[in-house]
Amino acid sequence: GSPVGLQVLAGLDAQWLTTPGNAKRWDRMGSVLAKRFAKESAASSPEKPQGDRDARDARVRMQKRIRGYYLPIYFWIRRKAEERRARGEAGPLFVGISAPQGCGKTTLVTALEELFQHDAADDGDPTGGKDGDGGPRMGCVA
């Protein structure tokens, strides 16, 4: 569909989303998160069976969250990092997240770490998005 909300703010216009390479990466990163959150959901409530409709509704809500929240933030940060590299700027890109306790800041950052690692591996980065010490090149400082 057409870009909305954070997609627009992140600079992900309709043309960007229909470019084959971008669309492919968007779908691939969305799949990474869908698998991640499905595993977390199954692990957090194994004893609570859901009906087909409830499970389908939960998947739809998660897809909306992935496409409307996680991916736009990821691609915005990715674009900012690419712009810095293009200008020849060295050093880390710092992004601050300010939000109330329990709203998902840690969940967001761990999802971003995973996306950057997958993206680096997909781009042929032999480190798989890891720094020289084996840690992620993108991380959270609490």
Side-chain angles (χ1 to χ4, degrees), residues 69 73 95-109 141-142:
Y69 178 65
I73 292 172
V95 177
I97 301 171
S98 177
Q101 180 179 351
C103 72
K105 296 179 299 291
T106 300
T107 301
L108 171 63
V109 171
V141 178

Side-chain angles (χ1 to χ4, degrees), residues 110-140:
T110 56
L112 291 170
E113 286 176 338
E114 187 169 350
L115 291 175
F116 276 103
Q117 289 170 13
H118 275 276
D119 213 6
D122 287 350
D123 285 343
D125 180 344
T127 69
K130 305 281 185 182
D131 65 16
D133 297 324
R137 277 193 239 142
M138 188 270 177
C140 173

